[in-house]
Amino acid sequence: MKKRSILILSCACMLGTVLSVAPGQASALKKGVQSVRVLELQQQLHSLGYFKAGFTGYYGSLTSKAVARFQRDNGLTPDGVAGAATRAKLDSFGKVRLTALEQLARIIYSEARGESFEGQVAVGAVVLNRVQSSEFPSSIPDVILQPGQFTAVQDGQYRLKPNQTAYRAARQALNGADPTNGSLYYYNPAIATAKWSKSRPAVISLGRHTFTN
C-alpha cells in the first residue's frame, strides 16, 4: 500500500511538471502559426530592422529567420522560435502600433459593416487568403491597397474609422477563421456589374456577398 501511494504521488508530481511547462510551450510562436500575435511580432521585428517582408500574420521561414537574427544579436538561443524570453526582449524595445491590423479592420468595416459578424470575418479571410496566394501581393497592406480591387478603397469609404466589431472580426480572421472556405473574391450580386465576377463559380453566400475563387 505504501509503495502504491509513493507511485501515485510520483505520477502526480510528473503530471504537475508537465502542466507547468505546457503553458509556456503553448505560447511560443513558431513556423505554421497564423495569429494576431504573429502580426505583432512581424511589426516589432520590422521596427527594429530585422523583418523586411510583408506583414502577413503567418509565421513562415522569413519570420523564423528574422527571429533567429534578433535572438543572435541579443544573446538568446537563435532557434527561430519566439518564446517568452524572445518576446519579452522585443517588448523591452517598446510596443508598436498594429497598423496592419487597423488596415484589415478598416477594409472589413468599409466593405461589410452592414453584414453579420460572420460576413465581416469572411471579408477579412479573403484578404488573408490573397496574401497566401501567388496571384496577389504578399502582405496585408499591399493586398488591400492593390489598385482596382476593393470598392471601398476607390470611393473613399476605406478612410472611415472601424468599430470594435470590425477589429474583432479582423482578429478572428487572423487567428484562422475562414467562413469562405479559401475564397479569393466576393461580390454583391444585387449591384455587381462586372461579368467576370458573376462568371466565377460560387463557393458560398453570406448575407449580401457571394464568395468565389
Side-chain angles (χ1 to χ4, degrees):
M1 187 70 176
K2 185 175 181 181
K3 288 183 179 179
R4 186 179 177 185
S5 299
I6 292 173
L7 179 60
I8 292 172
L9 180 60
S10 176
C11 290
C13 289
M14 289 175 66
L15 180 60
T17 301
V18 171
L19 291 175
S20 66
V21 172
Q25 292 174 336
S27 65
L29 301 176
K30 53 188 176 182
K31 279 187 179 181
V33 174
Q34 177 180 304
S35 71
V36 175
R37 291 166 59 214
V38 174
L39 184 64
E40 180 181 18
L41 174 71
Q42 290 173 337
Q43 293 196 205
Q44 285 179 304
L45 290 166
H46 174 78
S47 70
L48 296 172
Y50 288 94
F51 188 71
K52 307 294 184 182
F55 302 138
T56 64
Y58 179 78
Y59 205 115
S61 58
L62 293 177
T63 304
S64 179
K65 289 176 182 177
V67 168
R69 287 194 295 272
F70 172 81
Q71 291 169 326
R72 191 176 296 111
D73 290 347
N74 287 275
L76 301 167
T77 302
D79 58 7
V81 175
T86 298
R87 295 201 312 277
K89 189 65 179 178
L90 278 166
D91 289 345
S92 72
F93 289 93
K95 291 285 186 179
V96 297
R97 182 184 175 190
L98 284 178
T99 54
L101 175 64
E102 180 180 343
Q103 287 173 300
L104 188 59
R106 277 181 180 275
I107 199 65
I108 289 171
Y109 183 74
S110 58
E111 288 272 322
R113 60 187 178 275
E115 299 297 315
S116 66
F117 180 70
E118 183 183 32
Q120 293 184 47
V121 173
V123 169
V126 166
V127 173
L128 297 174
N129 291 339
R130 289 188 177 193
V131 168
Q132 297 300 325
S133 170
S134 59
E135 300 177 31
F136 296 92
S138 57
S139 77
I140 291 170
D142 290 344
V143 162
I144 291 171
L145 298 177
Q146 186 179 14
Q149 295 300 308
F150 292 99
T151 303
V153 174
Q154 296 174 333
D155 65 18
Q157 292 187 68
Y158 178 65
R159 293 193 293 271
L160 296 172
K161 184 179 179 180
N163 60 16
Q164 289 305 308
T165 301
Y167 275 104
R168 190 160 58 91
R171 288 188 169 89
Q172 191 100 325
L174 277 163
N175 287 331
D178 183 5
T180 77
N181 298 317
S183 296
L184 296 173
Y185 302 91
Y186 63 88
Y187 67 96
N188 185 337
I191 60 175
T193 56
K195 291 183 179 179
W196 70 268
S197 295
K198 296 183 178 181
S199 67
R200 307 184 78 91
V203 175
I204 191 171
S205 291
L206 295 169
R208 289 172 290 184
H209 288 144
T210 297
F211 294 82
T212 69
N213 274 328

